[in-house]
Amino acid sequence: MTHTATRLWCGGAAALKRLLNLLAALMLLLMMLLTTVDVLGRYLFNRPVVGASELIEIMLAAAIFLVLPTITWHREHVAVDLAEPYLPRLVRRLRDRLCHLFMTAGVAWMAMTVWKLAERAARYNSVTEYLAIPSAWAMYLIAASLWLTALTFLVLTLLGEPAEQALTQHEPAQEAPAL
């Protein structure tokens, strides 16, 4: 029973990860196409795309927050590891779990705050300046992504180092120097 539940959980998480990454990639593609059309229209025909900067801002925020849970799961945040080679493995694991626990609380607080702001924006019918896109839509997306990121940090807190990373991770002293 436990094995089946674990397999379903991991399969669902993998599918969600693929969906989030696909949506983020779509946002980047649309931003690129819109920028190209806007620049060509502006310089060749003196007719820029109305609201292009507004759409690009929304898509940029969506792309960033859609990949945040994936970045968190793979532990690809920017980190400075000056003391890493000198810390015993047990101390590193304890430090990582404590950091993940604090990040769970911090990101959950941010998610609650953004969700409240989205509710207020929806209540006041707040819209963007040129295209009148409801501001709450982007805010709800950001809040949902933050909730997923908080859940990811919580899972990392409970599980510790993911199994696939433990098998492939090298000691910091063995890594190639950064360029």
Side-chain angles (χ1 to χ4, degrees), residues 49-127:
V49 176
V50 176
S53 61
E54 208 169 80
L55 285 171
I56 289 170
E57 287 172 1
I58 293 169
M59 288 187 284
L60 180 62
I64 290 168
F65 283 95
L66 284 169
V67 296
L68 194 56
T70 302
I71 289 170
T72 300
W73 178 252
H74 289 288
R75 299 170 64 173
E76 294 176 340
H77 295 286
V78 175
V80 178
D81 56 359
L82 297 174
E84 193 79 11
Y86 307 109
L87 295 176
R89 189 169 183 81
L90 180 64
V91 173
R92 284 184 281 173
R93 285 183 176 175
L94 180 62
R95 177 210 52 205
D96 289 346
R97 285 193 177 198
L98 285 173
C99 285
H100 291 148
L101 182 63
F102 287 125
M103 290 303 297
T104 300
V107 174
W109 178 79
M110 286 189 287
M112 276 191 308
T113 303
V114 173
W115 192 270
K116 288 177 186 176
L117 290 172
E119 287 176 337
R120 184 183 327 157
R123 204 171 37 250
Y124 292 139
N125 295 320
S126 175
V127 294

Side-chain angles (χ1 to χ4, degrees), residues 11-71:
L16 181 61
K17 174 186 160 187
R18 283 191 300 273
L19 176 66
L20 293 175
N21 289 345
L22 179 67
L23 289 173
L26 180 64
M27 292 297 123
L28 289 174
L29 176 66
L30 291 174
M31 284 181 358
M32 181 181 66
L33 292 173
L34 181 58
T35 301
T36 301
V37 170
D38 186 45
V39 168
L40 290 175
R42 180 181 316 273
Y43 291 108
L44 296 179
F45 307 111
N46 202 25
R47 306 263 314 170
V49 176
V50 176
S53 61
E54 208 169 80
L55 285 171
I56 289 170
E57 287 172 1
I58 293 169
M59 288 187 284
L60 180 62
I64 290 168
F65 283 95
L66 284 169
V67 296
L68 194 56
T70 302
I71 289 170

